[in-house]
Amino acid sequence: MAMAALRREGRRFAPMISSRPITALRSSPLAPSLEDECPLGVRYISTQVVRNRMKSVKNIQKITKAMKMVAASKLRAIQTKAENSRGLWQPFTALLGDLPSANVKKNVVVTISSDKGLCGGINSTSVKISKGLHKLNSGPEKETKYVILGEKAKAQLVRDSKKDIELIITELQKNPLNYTQVSVLADEILKNVEYDALRIVFNKFHSVVSFVPTVSTVLSPEIVEREAESGGKLGDLDSYEVEGGETKGEILQNLAEFQFSCVMFNAVLENACSEQGARMSAMDSSSRNAGDMLDRLTLTYNRTRQASITTELIEIISGASALEG
């Protein structure tokens, strides 16, 4: 009976209720930021704002979930290639070695990064290591240059070290990666730079949530021969029998070029795997954060809606009491 009376009184006094937003709703934490975007004649504007934001967050969550699925699909395709490519450069490491401590005059830091973002901090890590190598191998009689692969490393290194950049290559992953494509890329690098040591910086893939920043060193044939003659780690190079009419220098030249292309192929694939794994993790975190935000917005929407209903009831009861008095 009481509720029926309230409804009747509400219908009678509905035209008397102001159409301006009520004070209780203006105090909502979400209303002030978008209050000016809506006309004053719209009632309970804060609930509309919250609904719009909830819709936006739901759309973002759908996008991040889709990007995670796409990254997982690409990762499965690249991971097999990366695992198979590890068998290419390992024989060269056993034969020619990997000497990061080699003291040479002309160093070239090859920084491998991605062309797209939203993949965590793998690109920043590669750039930091590249800058550290540049600083470590710089001196009065030394020269260190950059060769950059990928837009993200380019954007960061151009700001600080533009004069030291020798070559920039982007859109490497526009087409599916294969050895032919990378070998042409390696040949272009060798034609455009003079080096004693090529230091390739990339992220080695371990798992979806784990990657290790890695530096692989490829020495020039002259440095390899010098290290072999000095009796270091490459001292057993003369124990191999050489067949054919090629000289030792020509063989070392061919081996160094082939080693660089194989190491580059593996590095590009490993970095691509790390990129997709990091993107999966980043999109998963974004989806969870969107879910948490959606829960908070739902709670805010329910509270605001309940406040508006309570305020309406108070206005109706107050009006009815005033008429009866």
Side-chain angles (χ1 to χ4, degrees):
M1 295 293 293
M3 293 302 298
L6 286 175
R7 284 196 292 269
R8 286 197 301 272
E9 295 297 331
R11 285 194 295 269
R12 287 177 55 193
F13 294 99
M16 300 174 60
I17 300 175
S18 172
S19 62
R20 295 178 65 83
I22 54 181
T23 305
L25 294 180
R26 284 184 180 273
S27 62
S28 170
L30 294 177
S33 60
L34 296 176
E35 192 177 75
D36 298 334
E37 297 181 7
C38 303
L40 292 176
V42 181
R43 193 174 178 82
Y44 311 130
I45 191 61
S46 58
T47 57
Q48 293 182 6
V49 171
V50 178
R51 279 200 301 269
N52 290 338
R53 292 195 177 183
M54 290 171 64
K55 184 178 179 180
S56 299
V57 172
K58 285 180 182 178
N59 292 336
I60 292 173
Q61 190 178 41
K62 290 178 182 179
I63 293 171
T64 54
K65 287 182 177 179
M67 290 183 68
K68 178 185 175 182
M69 294 169 58
V70 171
S73 176
K74 290 183 178 180
L75 176 62
R76 283 193 294 269
I78 300 173
Q79 187 175 358
T80 304
K81 292 183 179 180
E83 292 173 350
N84 294 335
S85 69
R86 292 171 185 170
L88 286 174
W89 61 268
Q90 290 171 349
F92 288 102
T93 302
L95 176 63
L96 302 176
D98 188 348
L99 303 176
S101 60
N103 187 15
V104 296
K105 292 183 179 180
K106 294 182 180 180
N107 292 275
V108 176
V109 179
V110 183
T111 306
I112 300 177
S113 68
S114 64
D115 289 317
K116 298 179 181 179
L118 299 177
C119 53
I122 64 169
N123 297 315
S124 299
T125 304
S126 297
V127 170
K128 286 180 181 178
I129 292 176
S130 299
K131 289 181 178 179
L133 286 172
H134 185 279
K135 185 177 180 180
L136 185 65
N137 293 285
S138 297
E141 297 182 357
K142 293 183 178 181
E143 182 184 15
T144 304
K145 296 292 184 180
Y146 286 115
V147 171
I148 301 173
L149 276 68
E151 287 284 353
K152 294 303 175 180
K154 169 189 171 183
Q156 296 186 50
L157 290 173
V158 164
R159 291 196 298 264
D160 303 328
S161 309
K162 187 175 182 179
K163 61 183 179 61
D164 295 326
I165 297 176
E166 195 76 17
L167 185 64
I168 298 175
I169 300 171
T170 58
E171 297 184 356
L172 183 61
Q173 298 184 39
K174 190 174 182 180
N175 299 315
L177 294 171
N178 54 60
Y179 180 76
T180 303
Q181 177 186 0
V182 177
S183 62
V184 172
L185 175 67
D187 187 55
E188 183 178 355
I189 293 174
L190 293 176
K191 287 179 179 178
N192 287 277
V193 298
E194 296 181 1
Y195 72 97
D196 292 330
L198 290 160
R199 305 185 188 276
I200 306 164
V201 181
F202 63 98
N203 294 283
K204 187 174 183 179
F205 178 78
H206 277 199
S207 66
V208 174
V209 295
S210 175
F211 57 89
V212 179
T214 306
V215 179
S216 293
T217 305
V218 177
L219 302 177
S220 66
E222 295 79 9
I223 302 299
V224 170
E225 192 169 0
R226 188 190 72 184
E227 292 289 332
E229 292 174 354
S230 64
K233 294 183 178 179
L234 305 179
D236 58 346
L237 195 61
D238 292 329
S239 61
Y240 292 90
E241 183 179 352
V242 178
E243 296 182 354
E246 294 181 336
T247 63
K248 182 179 179 181
E250 292 174 342
I251 292 175
L252 288 176
Q253 179 72 29
N254 295 333
L255 285 175
E257 293 178 359
F258 192 39
Q259 180 192 15
F260 179 57
S261 63
C262 292
V263 172
M264 278 289 295
F265 181 54
N266 175 254
V268 168
L269 289 174
E270 295 278 1
N271 199 79
C273 284
S274 300
E275 175 192 348
Q276 299 303 333
R279 183 169 288 117
M280 282 182 61
S281 300
M283 293 302 101
D284 184 57
S285 299
S286 298
S287 299
R288 288 199 304 268
N289 292 337
D292 295 341
M293 185 179 293
L294 194 58
D295 292 340
R296 292 194 298 270
L297 287 172
T298 303
L299 182 61
T300 303
Y301 174 76
N302 291 335
R303 284 178 176 174
T304 306
R305 184 170 172 272
Q306 187 62 42
S308 66
I309 294 172
T310 304
T311 306
E312 284 185 354
L313 290 175
I314 292 172
E315 289 180 349
I316 293 171
I317 294 171
S318 299
S321 299
L323 288 177
E324 289 177 2

